[in-house]
Amino acid sequence: MSLKPKVALSQDFLLQLAKLPVSVQSKVMKWAIQFQSDPMSPGINYENINGARDSNLKSVRLDRDWRGIVFKPSSGDVYVLLYVDHHDAAYRWAENRKLAINPVTGAMQLVVFESVTLEVPVAQRSSFAEDTAAGDQTSAKPFFASLGDRELLSLGVPEELLATVRTIASDEQLDAMQAKLPVEAYEGLFLVAAGDTVSQVLAARETRVDKVVDTADFAAALTTPESQSRFVIVDNDEAMMAIMNAPLAQWRVFLHPTQHKLATGDRSGAVRVLGGAGTGKTVLAMHRAKWLAENRTPAGKKVLFTTFTRNLATDIEQNLKTLCGASTLAKLEVRNLDAWVHGFMRAQKLEHRIVYDRKQEGAAQAWQAAMAARDTKLDLPDSFYEQELEQVILAQGITTLDEYRVARRIGRAGVLSRSKRDAVWPVFEEYRGQLASRKLKEVDDAYREVATMLGARPGDGEYSAIVVDETQDFGPQALKLLRAMAPSGTNDLFFVGDGHQRIYSRHRAAMSKCGIDIRGRSRKLYLNYRTTDEIRRQAVALLEGCEVDDLDDGLDEVKRYKSLSHGPAPSVFIAHGMEGACGQVLQFVQTFLGEVGESGSPSVCVIAASEKARNTLASHVQAAGLTCVTVTAATNHPDAQGAVHFSTMHRAKGLEFDAVAVVAPDAFFGPPDESSGQRRLMYVALTRAKRAAALIRIK
């Protein structure tokens, strides 16, 4: 008995399907389901395409006006739905394309033979210089002249494009090739252009290039991560329906090759993945959690997906519900860490409430009482005590005077002698005592105490693995708690984060100093899928002069991050007072909505530095007749189509919109060493934008 042929969908097919009229989409979906059932059915009339580069590309009739483009193998059992369009457009698309297998990587690649223009249109060139002058379109020597054919092929360059790639002599020419190259080839080339060797790129990808590749075996090619980043096998009607009914949510199906490798497979211990804004860290983390739940979670255990804030956890939970089936969801738990700690303390009959803001009732009184006990002879400002509490006492989990006497104070101004430490300590001791009398506890103290309780019963946890998003927002005690929540071993902890987006300065922590060993298991994502390169460059410019750490006592850099899309440079305005800012915001919002119309339900967000500024801006825009909604801890109103969203910079984290207007006071643009925290906030806010952005500075 012959096996049923394999049917796969290409990313191009799904993207194009989403653009078609609804009536045509339904016809395509019905036909695709029938095709999946039996691609060899006599009822399918495969037609040759005159002048096609690939004789295996066939046309199939959907109705009088619409055609599908299918890969029908001359041998083998793999059929691929590649494209769908009006008949003339479909034929033109197919004429200059070929489905081939890379002879070194074994990946299936759709090669485009259309003429390649190596000059970027002027309108798409960034106005923000990064490392080299944007106007320099030539170089004395092509970037990749020294690389042999096999090296270029190992990076993912198709054989048919080797000659063209060898002519690339500028960053702009490389960008112009991006649409013609598989994503792994573009990534590899720009990393080599930035200074990496081919070996370094392949090692980071965990890519083998020493295998024997059968360039006619498309079934084997489909198993590679590179192929799975753009093709998905559908082996039953239910899978076909699930994918076809949600063609816009491409992340549900396709992962970048690097992301795919990180999301799947066993790891010998904790993993850290760094990536700039928009590089797909959260998407990767969700797929990792899904893979662990489906493949490595024993009965009675779960995978915990956690992040710093409640609204991010809510968003992630909703996305996982669309990504995972019921059986997988049953093995997943999504909770922000504070909620988990609160639940644990209640389960242990601990009555203390957690202090998240020292201004809240009870905590404020406790702090006042503690400050009243300070030694006035020390002549230390009030701010010293609060900063010392956050950055030294709580961060290091110090509970005794002896511990404080020998504590490291890196980053704290001035040397504090032993006698001064002895005089300062009673303030912190009094504060904790005052909190205890009110049944309150600082969040870092709660983390520390819960971690101690878990450490007393190793192996008794409910989680087989933990996946952590926005790792840069977790302080030392939070990381130590996460370490205690899952047993050390294979696939135990998976962290994604970005030091550029650390907006809580007191939370800086080194993973290795918190018991989390990531040696040999650290990776980076470089490609930005959300933000245009023009917006990314403007955001990065805000961080110039600001030190960015790698979450483990090292430094990160930004020069190798790259966006895959281009668009207009962000508008930069100087506004005189809040009234001027309101006018600039309204003009930006109205202009953007007027340009895009209602196509695709464009999303817009106005992001301010404070709730007061946010509310003022929202009132002004609402008075102009536009519908406005506010992003809060409880909801970001994901279903509010046609409404303008308003958010603070903190609340905007993790969200994305077609257009963003960022409004910041002049103080946010101070010297980097004085305003690094504010600049990071603006970086986070600006990188929420996918297509258009404005930065408004209030003088």
Side-chain angles (χ1 to χ4, degrees):
M1 180 182 294
S2 61
L3 296 176
K4 179 183 175 182
K6 294 183 176 67
V7 175
L9 302 177
S10 77
Q11 189 175 34
D12 285 342
F13 178 86
L14 292 178
L15 289 171
Q16 181 64 14
L17 176 63
K19 299 176 183 179
L20 301 182
V22 174
S23 60
V24 180
Q25 288 185 22
S26 62
K27 290 181 181 180
V28 176
M29 291 180 186
K30 182 179 179 180
W31 175 85
I33 292 172
Q34 295 174 342
F35 183 86
Q36 186 279 324
S37 298
D38 185 8
M40 301 174 65
S41 169
I44 300 174
N45 184 24
Y46 293 104
E47 297 178 359
N48 293 326
I49 301 170
N50 293 331
R53 297 269 189 163
D54 188 346
S55 61
N56 289 329
L57 297 195
K58 308 293 184 180
S59 155
V60 292
R61 183 186 178 98
L62 304 181
D63 68 10
R64 186 180 66 181
D65 296 318
W66 298 90
R67 300 290 186 270
I69 303 299
V70 177
F71 174 82
K72 180 180 181 294
S74 55
S75 62
D77 60 353
V78 174
Y79 292 74
V80 188
L81 302 186
L82 294 171
Y83 198 68
V84 60
D85 208 336
H86 194 273
H87 59 82
D88 289 344
Y91 296 147
R92 287 195 299 271
W93 184 92
E95 286 172 357
N96 295 309
R97 281 169 171 80
K98 176 183 178 182
L99 194 65
I101 297 174
N102 185 297
V104 175
T105 68
M108 197 160 76
Q109 301 175 325
L110 190 63
V111 182
V112 183
F113 288 92
E114 296 167 347
S115 61
V116 177
T117 302
L118 293 183
E119 298 292 339
V120 172
V122 174
Q124 291 188 359
R125 295 176 189 165
S126 173
S127 60
F128 298 96
E130 199 162 38
D131 299 311
T132 60
D136 183 14
Q137 300 294 310
T138 60
S139 175
K141 182 180 179 182
F143 284 174
F144 313 109
S146 62
L147 298 184
D149 286 357
R150 188 169 182 83
E151 289 179 297
L152 290 175
L153 290 167
S154 70
L155 293 175
V157 178
E159 281 188 289
E160 294 80 2
L161 296 180
L162 289 174
T164 304
V165 166
R166 292 192 187 282
T167 68
I168 294 173
S170 71
D171 292 338
E172 289 71 33
Q173 290 179 352
L174 178 57
D175 286 349
M177 276 287 294
Q178 180 234 311
K180 312 296 180 184
L181 292 167
V183 65
E184 69 270 18
Y186 177 76
E187 178 190 54
L189 290 172
F190 94 73
L191 288 174
V192 170
D196 283 0
T197 65
V198 173
S199 297
Q200 288 173 325
V201 174
L202 297 179
R205 291 181 177 177
E206 303 172 14
T207 296
R208 285 186 57 198
V209 294
D210 58 346
K211 56 191 176 185
V212 177
V213 174
D214 183 353
T215 57
D217 189 349
F218 286 88
L222 273 173
T223 65
T224 67
E226 293 83 3
S227 298
Q228 292 172 8
S229 73
R230 43 192 173 259
F231 302 94
V232 58
I233 296 175
V234 286
D235 50 17
N236 56 64
D237 293 352
E238 290 74 19
M240 177 68 80
M241 284 293 294
I243 295 170
M244 298 279 284
N245 282 327
L248 294 178
Q250 293 302 305
W251 59 266
R252 299 180 189 177
V253 180
F254 301 104
L255 287 175
H256 178 283
T258 302
Q259 294 172 325
H260 184 276
K261 288 184 178 179
L262 291 169
T264 60
D266 293 311
R267 304 287 164 170
S268 59
V271 175
R272 178 205 62 190
V273 180
L274 296 177
T279 54
K281 298 183 299 296
T282 301
V283 171
L284 165 63
M286 287 190 289
H287 278 273
R288 180 63 178 173
K290 176 179 183 287
W291 186 88
L292 289 169
E294 292 176 344
N295 299 280
R296 295 295 184 271
T297 304
K301 298 286 187 177
K302 286 188 174 184
V303 175
L304 175 66
F305 193 117
T306 191
T307 188
F308 190 69
T309 61
R310 186 172 64 185
N311 57 333
L312 283 182
T314 301
D315 283 349
I316 288 165
E317 186 173 23
Q318 291 302 313
N319 286 328
L320 281 170
K321 287 180 179 178
T322 64
L323 179 63
C324 304
S327 60
T328 302
L329 286 172
K331 293 184 175 183
L332 288 170
E333 180 180 336
V334 184
R335 298 180 80 181
N336 74 297
L337 191 61
D338 288 344
W340 185 90
V341 169
H342 179 72
F344 181 90
M345 293 175 66
R346 287 187 63 184
Q348 300 299 314
K349 310 296 184 186
L350 301 174
E351 299 179 359
H352 287 80
R353 292 182 293 115
I354 297 176
V355 174
Y356 299 107
D357 185 350
R358 239 161 268 128
K359 295 178 182 178
Q360 71 185 58
E361 187 177 357
Q365 296 169 345
W367 185 249
Q368 289 172 3
M371 291 296 287
R374 70 187 186 279
D375 188 341
T376 56
K377 297 178 182 178
L378 292 177
D379 194 29
L380 294 170
D382 291 356
S383 61
F384 165 85
Y385 292 92
E386 189 161 8
Q387 292 169 3
E388 191 79 355
L389 174 69
E390 292 177 350
Q391 299 176 27
V392 181
I393 307 300
L394 295 174
Q396 298 182 37
I398 295 171
T399 59
T400 68
L401 175 58
D402 287 341
E403 291 173 344
Y404 184 50
R405 284 171 173 169
V406 297
R408 302 174 68 193
R409 300 179 67 254
I410 297 175
R412 299 286 290 133
V415 177
L416 209 61
S417 65
R418 175 168 176 161
S419 61
K420 284 189 176 180
R421 296 192 189 204
D422 288 353
V424 165
W425 176 253
V427 173
F428 309 129
E429 198 167 44
E430 179 68 19
Y431 176 57
R432 279 175 165 151
Q434 290 284 341
L435 287 179
S437 69
R438 295 170 171 82
K439 294 189 179 299
L440 296 173
K441 196 177 293 293
E442 279 277 349
V443 63
D444 283 319
D445 280 343
Y447 290 160
R448 173 178 52 78
E449 293 177 16
V450 172
T452 301
M453 295 173 67
L454 293 174
R457 53 186 199 191
D460 192 32
E462 59 187 305
Y463 305 117
S464 61
I466 300 176
V467 177
V468 184
D469 193 21
E470 304 286 359
T471 303
Q472 74 281 349
D473 290 336
F474 291 91
Q477 297 307 317
L479 291 181
K480 290 177 181 179
L481 171 59
L482 289 165
R483 176 64 282 172
M485 289 168 62
S488 298
T490 304
N491 302 322
D492 53 352
L493 298 171
F494 190 88
F495 298 89
V496 300
D498 177 20
H500 305 86
Q501 299 185 67
R502 175 177 281 114
I503 57 179
Y504 305 98
S505 59
R506 69 187 181 96
H507 289 180
R508 180 165 179 168
M511 302 179 75
S512 58
K513 294 178 180 177
C514 300
I516 300 170
D517 184 3
I518 57 172
R519 289 175 297 178
R521 296 181 298 277
S522 298
R523 298 291 186 270
K524 292 189 75 171
L525 301 175
Y526 293 100
L527 297 183
N528 185 316
Y529 296 92
R530 178 199 304 140
T531 303
T532 67
D533 210 50
E534 289 74 18
I535 296 173
R536 182 194 64 82
R537 286 174 179 251
Q538 176 68 88
V540 168
L542 292 168
L543 298 181
E544 187 175 353
C546 299
E547 186 178 275
V548 179
D549 70 284
D550 66 355
L551 316 184
D552 198 35
D553 240 7
L555 296 178
D556 196 11
E557 43 80 31
V558 297
K559 70 176 182 178
R560 300 193 183 193
Y561 291 121
K562 192 81 170 180
S563 295
L564 292 179
S565 61
H566 287 274
S571 303
V572 180
F573 303 106
I574 302 295
H576 298 285
M578 182 55 70
E579 184 177 351
C582 287
Q584 294 284 7
V585 164
L586 181 59
Q587 181 180 350
F588 173 79
V589 170
Q590 289 177 329
T591 300
F592 177 77
L593 293 176
E595 290 176 350
V596 301
E598 298 182 357
S599 59
S601 300
S603 56
V604 182
C605 188
V606 178
I607 305 176
S610 67
E611 291 184 359
K612 181 180 179 181
R614 177 201 66 192
N615 295 340
T616 300
L617 292 163
S619 296
H620 185 83
V621 173
Q622 191 166 19
L626 295 173
T627 302
C628 301
V629 296
T630 300
V631 176
T632 66
T635 181
N636 61 6
H637 302 280
D639 299 324
Q641 295 186 359
V644 181
H645 289 67
F646 286 81
S647 174
T648 62
M649 294 179 181
H650 286 87
R651 288 291 176 214
K653 194 163 191 191
L655 306 179
E656 61 180 40
F657 303 89
D658 291 313
V660 162
V662 180
V663 182
D666 193 52
F668 275 46
F669 296 85
D673 58 337
E674 298 176 6
S675 61
S676 62
Q678 292 93 332
R679 287 174 175 267
R680 292 180 201 276
L681 280 168
M682 290 192 291
Y683 172 88
V684 169
L686 202 60
T687 54
R688 302 308 95 196
K690 294 189 290 185
R691 299 164 56 184
L695 181 60
I696 301 167
R697 179 176 182 176
I698 303 177
K699 288 283 192 178

